[in-house]
Structure formats: structure tokens, C-alpha cells
Amino acid sequence: MKRAENITASIFMVLGIFVIKGAMSLIYMTDIGPGPGFFPLWLGVLLLFLGLILILQNTFSKKKVAVIDSEPTEPMWPGIGGAIRVGIVIFSLLAVSFFITYIGFRVSMFLLVFSLLYTLGRQKILMTLAISLSGSFGVYFIFTHFLSVELPVASVHWLSVVGL
Amino acid sequence: MSTLNLLFHGTQAVFQPMNLLFLVLGCVLGQAIGVLPGIGSAAAIALLIPVTLNLSATASVIMLAGIFYGTNYGGTITSVLMNTPGESASVVTAIDGYQMAKKGRGGPALGIAAIGSFIGGTVGTLGLAFGAQWFSNTALKIGASEYFALMVFAVALVTVLATGSPVKALLMGILGLLIGTIGIDPDLGIPRFTFGQIKLYDGIAFIAIVIGFFGLGEILVNIERKVQDTIYTQVGSVLPNKQDLRDSAGPIARGTVIGFILGLIPGATSAIASFLSYGVEVSRAKDPSRFGKGAIEGVAGPETANNSFVNANFIPLFTLGIPGTASIAMIMSGMMSNGIVPGPFLFRDNPAFVWTVIASMLVGQVILLIFNLPMVRVWILLLKIPYSILFVLILEFTLIGAYAVAFDTFNMYVMTISGFFGYLFKKMDFPAAPFVLTLVIGPLMEKNLRKSLEISGGEFAVFYQRPLTLILLLGAALTIIWPIFKWFKIYVKNSKESPRKAKGASSSDRV
Amino acid sequence: MIKNKLKLGVAAVSIAGLLLNAPSASAATFPAKGKTITIIVPYDAGGGGDIGARMLAPYFKAAIGATNVEIVNKPGAGSQVGISALAAAAPDGYTIGFTHLPATITTYLDPTRAATYNLSKLTPLSMMVVVPTMLVVRGESKYTSLKDLLADAAAGSKVTISDSGILSDGHLATLQLQQQSGAKLQAVHSTGGAATTADVLGGQVSAGTLNVGGATNELVKSGKLRIIAMFSKTKDKTFPTAKTAKEQGYPIYCSTSRAISGPAGMSNTVVNKISTALRSAMANPEFMAKANAAGLYIQFMWPNQLQAYWLDMQTATIPLMALKNS
């Protein structure tokens, strides 16, 4: 817990330095007051400062934090299995975001829903199929026909010729 | 003719078949748009304006207005049931509403939101009917410095009073402000932290971040365990009980006032109204630590505020022709396309139109209440879907929501990455409320700080010479100082009791 | 209907368009049967100019005899995203779009915006709407003319003028007024016309710049707002008694306008066909009636007139860019 927090705090501090650097190249003050660089600069400084405080808090007064912070006692980080499941979800969302422009909404959503339901959800194959079809083709129909909201269609030739 | 008389005639006109039909249609559409991810009321109204050209002006505006206020009723549902806000106004509802649903109190959360929305919406409309002129003239006295001070106050309330470590809360608040600075700076038009990408010029879409941070983040936390094991415990009661109503009375009353006032200020958004209401409720609570864990006040107040806001939005439009938000600007377009120009002569020149629309807004609140209370029973059936199926549907929902913000896959990446960070921060107990609040408020706060100084010609006196500004800023300062003072008192007390072992003593002393 | 296509999709379509459209007879047969003319609106659906564009589209379609005319919203970065896409499109006439002035000009004149286009990357086709800018004060104000306001500023009073954003038409007017009179005027940037109206009515600022039309006209007629200068060459038809800035000794011309342009390199035949069709669409009495109801100031210009108008505005704007942060 503490270690993770310290790492986060350090990342915040690095971010702070980066922000300060970025803000330095912007106008800090104009003749009437704060310019575009004013806000970011001070936010960067605060980030740096608060990150440091968090680390100091964690190192020196272990108990004092606990007074305000009612921490759960369960183990913080997932085991291998949990991490893999989290990874699978993130990965499939990124994959959909990438491939949706090529294979369109219907195919990519079908694949997403089908694979997640079948693997992580462990549903029966018929159930999986039914939900995947309604979640892809059904949703597409509702959005485009009733709501006039255009969802991506396939741009690769062999899919667009069949109307996906 | 007296106002009551006019309102009575207006109500009669609402019950003409065509008007009533389009009122119901508008309410249903608004509700649906609120539930659906990503599509906001402004876009929906814009799409329907061409359709309304074939209708009477009154029926058109009745429908468009119905969409506008109906959206806020619908937005609540996904916030509470899936932790995935479909509208920026219901973002704050997700914080406590979803926790209520997890504890089997999704029904009361939705019920109190509907009741609060009804009260807020009705009072907002009554304000429009009985005091529009006075309210709009008074609201004009609120300038950039007051607005800036109000936002500082809101940020102070939410960050300082957030449960858990104040350092973490502040870090999250600053992170939100920082992400808010990405894009073209609100005053001088200079790109900041955009890395040369035009896509970043408008900043990162708030709603895509929030859908990821809340909706996806929650799924990732749940999915760590085998999905089959993660099922909502129970559906629980459907409607709020007497205790819930008693707890919510104050938040609803205060939410009404907060939403109403902000609705009169051009440039304010309903998200700010709901956050401010949330902050006020946290600050008033005897035990603020309940917030974020399913406090009904955290749903009742903000949901009331955003509806009161929406209806108050009509006041500057109808009296001065000033549209305060993007959605109400769409309604103004709808009016103008139908040949009705809002402004100081609207009540004089088009009394039949105005009073029918106002009456329709009152009837519309009743319609939406009737829709929503019994529908709660249906909506919470969603929670009966096994989580092993539901999580996939929510994932799809988050993707569509992110995409629909700007019809751009870029926001799907934004959503996914925010989701991962939301997950990490949740694991480490970094609170979400300060982050989302500052994310939405940051650019406006900076803009109004600059604008105040432009108005004063660079004189900082503008912040202490205007009484309302001063009061709000002092309130913010007090909010920040009070916890430090309290902490100091405890510290002094502890060190007196055991001067040598101050550290050890403080841990056992939970005050 | 929102038809925000994906970038990739659009790119694919335009490449396909290039390949299918053999350069030879394409201009003569424009618009070809079965092809869609896309009008890019660089703002949100329902936002700046979108409703006017949607109003015009069916009349333009009929006038040019196209199979289909489609409005595509490409909002973002003011209008930079949409105009970048417009400038990068194939110059075959099937992609045209709105380029609002002065917003388009100020975007590419500002080096920090790193715009990929300027006038040479675009083909001006015709003007659709020109809305004059004016300087207003609230009814209770002591100023009744430009002279009052400038004299007060010269005497050392703090005079603030609200506009709808940095480098907006109103801000450009304020800068020119300051430049020509030498008086110190403090520009206050609001978030749009609605906020400017509120600033002026609430007495938060000394004056404000607004565009003629819609609710603003009602406020002027009711006496809540008073026009102290019109930044137009001629007197306004709605407010014939309001004096122009030029009449008061300051030749300043400002307006916000909606021009229609295409990418650079369009053939003359296609340019003529499109601008002729736009002209007859805008002259259609049915369209005129709708536009009037919506408060649009329709003003057509031929391509060469628009080009001259654009260059004039650009010339006037360049020296102001250096002053913008004051």
C-alpha cells in the first residue's frame, strides 16, 4: 500500500516537473494579470509539493495517516488471475478502439461481446451468441434508425461490400 | 390578467391533443437521450429543429423543452445502476448513487432523484412564471468575480471535505485542474499542452474521461475477482422510505435554490450546480465520511439542483433573449426558426405561446414523475442481470458513450486509459469527486479569474470590494482553514495528555 | 442527421473519389449523377451557422441538380478541425464547406495555432450571411455616442468593452477603435454573445460589441440596449437612426460572416456552377422567408467579390494580431 502510494506520489512529482517546464514556455503574466502560464505553473508546483508531502507522510508518520484514512484490510493488489482479467478487458477495449474504423461497429462489437462473455463471463454458447448479436447488430440498428446517430461502418473492402 | 389566470389558460392549451402529444413525446425522448450514453440534449434538440418546422411554434417549443428537462431525469439511471453517467449533469450522482445501488438501495436512489427532480423542476418553472423579470434583472448583478469566487468555494468544499486523506484529495483536485488546462487557453487562445495535436485544442472530452474513470474503473475493480462471484447482493426496496424522505428534505430544498441561482447565470453549467449542491451537503453533514459510500443526500441534492437549473435557464432566455447554456441556445434556435424571437417583448407579444410553454413545463414535470416512479421497478431489474453478463454490456455502453461525444475513436482511447487510472486510484483510495469537479470547473474558473481582472483593469481589489465575491472567498478560506484548525486542536490535546508519545496516542484517539 | 464520419472513412472516400473521377470530363458533367456533394460545417450540429447551412442545403441541392447534398459537422478547435479537412479535400467540387470570417483568418494568422491552411489553400465560392458588428451600451449608460465613450476614456476613466472572445469580430473592432483614437480601452473577453449581452445589461462593463439580429434587436428596440456605433459602411436597415463609426470619425468596418469555400485548385467551371447555384438558392423566396424568420442577414457575393472582401479583412487584421494581448 505504502509503496504503491510512494510510487504514485513520485509519478505526480515527475508530472509536476513536466508541467512546470511546459508552463515556463507560456506567458506567465500579462499587464492585467495571470496569463496562460500562470495556472499551470502553480498547479505543477503544488503537484510537486503535495507529492512530497504524501511521501513524507508515508515515511515518517505511519499511524497518523491511518487516523484519517480508514483503510480496508483486504489485500490491495490482485493475484495473477485478477491481473490477467483486468489486462484482458483493457486490451480488448483498446483493440476495439483501434479496429473499429476498419471493421466497423457491428463486427468489432460482436467480437468484443462474444469473446468477453465466453471467456470472462463463462456463459453458455447460445446465450453468448444471442447477447452478442443483439449487442452489435441490434444496438447498431437502434442507434442508426431511431436516433439518427451514425456508428462507424467498415472501411475495409471485403466488409463494406457486404454492407457492414 | 393575473399570472394565475394566464397560467390557467396556458394549462388549458397544453391539454389540446397536439400540444399534449408533443409534450409527452418530448419528455419520453429526453428521458431516452438521458439514458443513452454520450448524446446530450443540445445535439438531440439540434437534430429535431428541422422536424419542428412543420409544427406550430408552441408545439415545437413544448417538445424541445421537454427533451431539455427530460434528459436530466434519464441521466440519473445509468449513473446509479452502472456508475456510468450519460450526461455531465448526473456525474456527481454516480458517486453516492452507485454505492447505494451496490447496497441494494438503487430503488430509493432513483426514487429520490425523481422526486427531487420533480420538486426542483417545478419550483424552477414557478420562478419563471411568477418572477421572471425580477430574477433575470437580479442575476445580471452577478459578474465574473462572483462567479469565480463561487467556483473557488465549490472546489474548496469538495476537495477539503472529501473523505480520506486531504493530501490525496488535493492531489486529485489538482490533477483535474491540470487536465482542464489542456487545450486552447480560455482567454488568450494560446494552445497549452496540446503537443501540436489539433484534436487536443478543445481539451480532452470531460464525459469520456468520467465514463472511463467511473464506469470502466468500477468494472476493473470488480473483475479482479472471478466474475461469477461478483453479483449485486440484492435489489432491495423500490421506493424511498420515510427516513430517506426526511434525510432528503433539506438537500432537496437547498438543491432547488442552488440550481435555480446558477440557472440564471449565463455560462454556468448544470454540472456545476450539481457539484455545488453536493459540496454543500457534504459540508453540512454531521458525519461527512458517509459521503461516497451511499449517502442519499448526495443523490437528492444534486439531482434536484440540475433540474432546477434547467428550468431556471428559461428565465434569462424568455426575458432577455440570453441563452445561458448550449442546450437552451438550441431551444432559442428552435424558437427563432419558428418565427418567435425571445427577448423583452416576448411576454407582451406572444402571451399565448409563453404561457402555454410555461404550463407545459409544469405538466411535463408531472408526466416525468409519473413515468419515473413506477419505472424505477423496471430499471432496477437491470441489477438482476448476472454481473457476468452485465459487465460486458456496461463495457459496450462505455465505448459507445465515449465515441458519441464527438463521433471520434480518439475518445474511446481516452475512456479506456482513464478507466485504467480510475481503477488504480480507486485501489489506492484517491477520491474521485475532487478530480471530476475540478476537471469540469477548472477552465471556467480560470476564464472568470481572467475576466474579473480584465473588467477591473488588473486591480485585485475586485475580489474584496464586491461584497458577494468577498463572502464567497471568505467561505472558501474558512472551509480550507477549519480542518487544519481542528486537526491542530486534536494534536495539541494529544500532546498535552502524553507529551512524549504524541504520535502513538493520536493513532488510538479517533476523534 | 449527424453524419460525423470517421477521418479514415472520409479519407478513403476522397481517395476513391480521386480515382473514380478522371480529370477530363469531370468538370463539364459536374455534379455527376449518383454523387454526393458534402458541405462541411466546422461547428457542432446546431451550433454556429449549422442551422442556416441545413436550411440552405435543400435549395442548393435543387439549384445545382445534385443527387444528394449532405451536411457533415466537423467541430473542434474553433473551426480549425473542419477547415483543415476542407482544405485537404479533393478540389473536385464534391467537398465544400463553411469558412466563417474573421474566425478563419485570425486562426491562420495566429502562429501558435499552427494552422495548415490560409487563403491560398482555399477557393472562395460565395458569401452567404454578413452580420454587422455594433457597439452597444445599456439603456442607463451615460454614453450616447462614440465620442462620449472615447472622451471618457481619454479623461482617464476605466472603459471596458466586452466581446465574445479573443480575436472575435468585436475584439477586432475594439482594437481598431483603440488604435485610431489612441484612447485606452480595456477588452473583456466573454464566452459568447449571450455572455456579452449579460455583461452589458448588468453594468459589469462600460460597453459591448454584439451582432445585429435576433434577440439583440429586441433589446435595442425595448431601450435596454443602446447602439452607439455600427461598424458598417452603410446605415443598418433595421436601425436607420444608429450612426456608423465612420460617421463619427472612425472608419472601422467589422462584421461576422459565413462564407462558403472549397479546397484550392478547383476548376473555374465547377466554381461557376456552384456559386451560380448558391445564388439562386439564396434568392429563392421560400428560403428567404425562412432565413428572415431565423434572423439571418443573407448577403450573396460572387467568388471574386468574396476574394476581395476576404483580402480586405485580412489586410485590416494583420496589424491587429500584435495588439491582441493588450
Side-chain angles (χ1 to χ4, degrees):
Chain A
M1 183 74 197
K2 290 278 180 285
R3 212 180 75 191
E5 273 191 21
N6 285 342
I7 293 172
T8 315
S10 324
I11 294 174
F12 270 123
M13 289 170 72
V14 172
L15 183 68
I17 293 169
F18 170 77
V19 168
I20 293 170
K21 238 188 109 210
M24 299 282 247
S25 63
L26 297 162
I27 306 163
Y28 177 69
M29 272 283 170
T30 65
D31 34 346
I32 60 132
F38 181 87
F39 244 46
L41 184 74
W42 285 103
L43 291 177
V45 171
L46 278 172
L47 218 47
L48 205 59
F49 174 72
L50 286 167
L52 192 66
I53 298 251
L54 193 59
I55 291 178
L56 290 179
Q57 252 185 3
N58 281 339
T59 346
F60 291 113
S61 55
K62 279 174 192 143
K63 298 287 164 70
K64 205 167 282 163
V65 184
V67 176
I68 327 165
D69 214 348
S70 53
E71 263 158 43
T73 45
E74 62 172 302
M76 233 277 313
W77 297 106
I80 293 282
I84 289 177
R85 278 188 291 269
V86 169
I88 289 177
V89 171
I90 296 277
F91 177 76
S92 26
L93 293 184
L94 289 176
V96 169
S97 313
F98 181 75
F99 285 111
I100 201 165
T101 48
Y102 301 102
I103 59 176
F105 176 84
R106 281 162 290 188
V107 177
S108 48
M109 277 303 163
F110 179 81
L111 293 176
L112 174 84
V113 177
F114 188 89
S115 52
L116 286 184
L117 274 182
Y118 200 66
T119 55
L120 294 186
R122 291 177 195 277
Q123 295 299 311
K124 292 203 178 70
I125 184 78
L126 272 181
M127 183 69 146
T128 308
L129 257 179
I131 298 175
S132 322
L133 281 174
S134 45
S136 51
F137 289 82
V139 168
Y140 183 85
F141 183 78
I142 293 172
F143 271 77
T144 49
H145 285 256
F146 295 118
L147 300 160
S148 306
V149 172
E150 296 292 319
L151 293 170
V153 290
S155 64
V156 289
H157 183 69
W158 52 274
L159 278 174
S160 57
V161 282
V162 292
L164 289 170
Chain B
M1 243 190 308
S2 76
T3 303
L4 271 177
N5 247 327
L6 290 161
L7 205 53
F8 178 71
H9 283 289
T11 314
Q12 279 182 321
V14 173
F15 284 98
Q16 285 164 10
M18 276 312 261
N19 289 344
L20 195 62
L21 175 71
F22 283 98
L23 173 61
V24 175
L25 203 65
C27 290
V28 173
L29 268 173
Q31 173 104 18
I33 285 156
V35 175
L36 289 168
I39 314 159
S41 56
I45 296 170
L47 292 175
L48 282 167
I49 288 175
V51 180
T52 64
L53 294 177
N54 309 318
L55 305 174
S56 77
T58 313
S60 312
V61 177
I62 284 179
M63 178 173 77
L64 299 179
I67 295 173
F68 186 31
Y69 53 73
T71 313
N72 276 338
Y73 280 81
T76 319
I77 294 162
T78 51
S79 275
V80 170
L81 299 181
M82 305 179 179
N83 204 14
T84 310
E87 295 288 315
S88 54
S90 37
V91 166
V92 71
T93 313
I95 299 172
D96 276 277
Y98 180 71
Q99 294 304 324
M100 286 181 73
K102 258 179 132 178
K103 291 178 180 159
R105 295 192 11 94
L110 290 177
I112 206 71
I115 294 169
S117 297
F118 171 77
I119 295 173
T122 306
V123 174
T125 313
L126 290 176
L128 168 62
F130 290 95
Q133 214 65 53
W134 186 83
F135 284 122
S136 61
N137 287 335
T138 311
L140 287 174
K141 298 199 176 88
I142 299 175
S145 64
E146 283 84 9
Y147 196 30
F148 167 73
L150 188 70
M151 286 184 283
V152 173
F153 185 49
V155 170
L157 284 179
V158 176
T159 44
V160 174
L161 301 170
T163 53
S165 149
V167 178
K168 286 180 181 174
L170 279 171
L171 271 171
M172 291 306 274
I174 288 162
L175 190 65
L177 285 173
L178 259 181
I179 294 177
T181 62
I182 295 175
I184 297 176
D185 110 80
D187 204 64
L188 295 182
I190 293 165
R192 293 188 295 200
F193 305 114
T194 53
F195 312 102
Q197 300 293 311
I198 316 184
K199 269 189 185 161
L200 291 176
Y201 277 17
D202 292 325
I204 299 181
F206 165 68
I207 200 80
I209 294 179
V210 172
I211 290 175
F213 209 81
F214 283 179
L216 178 56
E218 177 67 25
I219 288 181
L220 294 177
V221 170
N222 290 337
I223 208 132
E224 276 183 358
R225 280 161 283 169
K226 280 205 171 123
V227 228
Q228 288 73 10
D229 312 336
T230 345
I231 300 170
Y232 288 106
T233 39
Q234 70 273 65
V235 167
S237 58
V238 171
L239 289 178
N241 57 32
K242 271 199 183 129
Q243 183 59 40
D244 291 336
L245 291 174
R246 222 171 295 139
D247 290 342
S248 304
I252 287 178
R254 287 184 289 273
T256 305
V257 176
I258 290 168
F260 189 81
I261 294 173
L262 282 169
L264 299 172
I265 308 174
T269 68
S270 53
I272 293 176
S274 52
F275 264 108
L276 192 61
S277 157
Y278 188 79
V280 167
E281 291 319 318
V282 178
S283 73
R284 289 189 55 93
K286 285 204 189 82
D287 175 17
S289 70
R290 286 190 305 116
F291 282 81
K293 293 176 190 144
I296 197 162
E297 297 94 323
V299 176
E303 279 299 320
T304 310
N306 66 34
N307 268 62
S308 169
F309 175 94
V310 157
N311 289 276
N313 238 211
F314 282 88
I315 294 176
L317 178 71
F318 276 12
T319 52
L320 300 169
I322 298 177
T325 56
S327 301
I328 199 95
M330 289 300 111
I331 291 185
M332 180 168 168
S333 287
M335 289 172 72
M336 306 250 305
S337 309
N338 283 287
I340 289 182
V341 185
F345 299 127
L346 183 67
F347 280 82
R348 189 193 74 189
D349 292 350
N350 296 295
F353 164 85
V354 173
W355 290 104
T356 311
V357 171
I358 292 178
S360 84
M361 286 160 65
L362 289 174
V363 180
Q365 302 300 329
V366 179
I367 291 176
L368 282 164
L369 186 69
I370 294 173
F371 273 162
N372 277 275
L373 277 185
M375 279 294 280
V376 169
R377 216 175 278 279
V378 181
W379 286 117
I380 54 178
L381 287 182
L382 258 183
L383 299 180
K384 288 216 166 139
I385 300 176
Y387 196 73
S388 54
I389 295 176
L390 191 62
F391 89 96
V392 182
L393 299 180
I394 302 176
L395 281 179
E396 178 176 358
F397 195 88
T398 58
L399 278 175
I400 299 177
Y403 175 76
V405 172
F407 297 91
D408 191 343
T409 48
F410 176 69
N411 283 328
M412 294 165 99
Y413 293 107
V414 169
M415 189 280 295
T416 309
I417 293 162
S418 311
F420 185 60
F421 279 105
Y423 160 77
L424 291 181
F425 283 132
K426 208 178 162 84
K427 302 289 300 185
M428 291 184 288
D429 270 335
F430 280 80
F435 172 70
V436 280
L437 171 75
T438 51
L439 192 58
V440 61
I441 272 187
L444 276 170
M445 203 160 88
E446 190 183 356
K447 170 82 210 166
N448 281 283
L449 169 66
R450 279 284 301 185
K451 195 176 161 189
S452 315
L453 289 167
E454 280 167 358
I455 288 174
S456 74
E459 304 278 332
F460 277 85
V462 69
F463 298 112
Y464 54 83
Q465 282 178 347
R466 295 176 65 119
L468 189 56
T469 310
L470 183 66
I471 292 169
L472 286 167
L473 286 177
L474 284 178
L478 206 68
T479 315
I480 296 168
I481 293 166
W482 186 243
I484 300 174
F485 175 71
K486 236 168 43 182
W487 175 82
F488 185 72
K489 232 168 60 178
I490 294 165
Y491 184 80
V492 169
K493 197 177 120 203
N494 285 340
S495 38
K496 264 185 197 155
E497 278 167 9
S498 51
R500 290 277 138 82
K501 293 184 287 178
K503 265 185 206 163
S506 68
S507 70
S508 57
D509 195 337
R510 284 177 158 265
V511 185
Chain C
M1 221 178 281
I2 304 183
K3 293 234 165 167
N4 290 284
K5 291 258 169 66
L6 293 161
K7 232 182 150 183
L8 221 114
V10 173
V13 168
S14 45
I15 290 166
L18 269 174
L19 295 176
L20 289 173
N21 243 20
S24 55
S26 65
T29 56
F30 178 86
K33 257 219 160 71
K35 290 208 67 175
T36 298
I37 299 181
T38 299
I39 303 179
I40 296 177
V41 172
Y43 300 95
D44 274 316
D50 179 66
I51 290 173
R54 283 169 198 281
M55 235 178 235
L56 181 70
Y59 299 96
F60 172 62
K61 181 186 161 194
I64 201 159
T67 311
N68 192 18
V69 170
E70 188 178 87
I71 303 276
V72 174
N73 296 92
K74 283 188 167 293
S79 56
Q80 200 174 339
V81 170
I83 299 177
S84 300
L86 175 66
D92 54 8
Y94 293 103
T95 309
I96 59 176
F98 277 85
T99 44
H100 292 200
L101 303 178
T104 307
I105 296 177
T106 53
T107 305
Y108 66 67
L109 286 184
D110 182 350
T112 64
R113 298 289 288 268
T116 53
Y117 55 86
N118 54 36
L119 181 52
S120 70
K121 296 278 169 63
L122 297 163
T123 307
L125 294 170
S126 41
M127 185 61 95
M128 178 183 170
V129 175
V130 179
V131 196
T133 310
M134 57 190 183
L135 189 66
V136 297
V137 294
R138 65 169 171 167
E140 298 90 330
S141 169
K142 56 186 174 177
Y143 306 133
T144 54
S145 70
L146 211 45
K147 209 178 92 193
D148 294 350
L149 180 125
L150 292 172
D152 207 20
S157 298
K158 189 184 74 193
V159 173
T160 49
I161 301 182
S162 174
D163 55 53
S164 59
I166 190 150
L167 294 177
S168 59
D169 52 316
H171 184 209
L172 296 178
T174 306
L175 289 176
Q176 289 180 67
L177 200 54
Q178 188 164 338
Q179 203 183 27
Q180 292 188 14
S181 69
K184 167 102 184 84
L185 303 170
Q186 176 63 56
V188 173
H189 306 310
S190 280
T191 42
T196 299
T197 311
D199 285 346
V200 178
L201 287 175
Q204 310 286 345
V205 291
S206 325
T209 46
L210 290 171
N211 294 110
V212 182
T216 309
N217 287 5
E218 304 290 294
L219 289 167
V220 173
K221 284 178 201 158
S222 72
K224 283 180 183 287
L225 289 181
R226 179 164 62 239
I227 304 175
I228 60 171
M230 302 277 319
F231 297 109
S232 53
K233 291 196 169 143
T234 52
K235 284 191 179 274
D236 190 76
K237 52 185 190 250
T238 323
F239 301 110
T241 54
K243 284 193 171 164
T244 64
K246 185 174 176 250
E247 285 173 302
Q248 304 182 59
Y250 300 95
I252 299 166
Y253 313 109
C254 275
S255 59
T256 172
S257 56
R258 302 179 193 166
I260 299 170
S261 308
M266 290 170 71
S267 82
N268 283 337
T269 326
V270 174
V271 170
N272 286 339
K273 278 185 180 174
I274 293 177
S275 52
T276 312
L278 283 170
R279 183 188 155 83
S280 62
M282 286 178 215
N284 185 313
E286 205 180 288
F287 170 75
M288 278 306 274
K290 280 190 192 173
N292 278 336
L296 294 176
Y297 276 51
I298 299 295
Q299 189 183 328
F300 177 81
M301 281 183 205
W302 290 107
N304 55 339
Q305 293 172 314
L306 175 57
Q307 172 98 21
Y309 181 88
W310 193 313
L311 278 173
D312 271 358
M313 192 179 271
Q314 183 173 305
T315 313
T317 309
I318 289 170
L320 302 175
M321 296 300 290
L323 305 172
K324 69 173 174 132
N325 289 358
S326 62

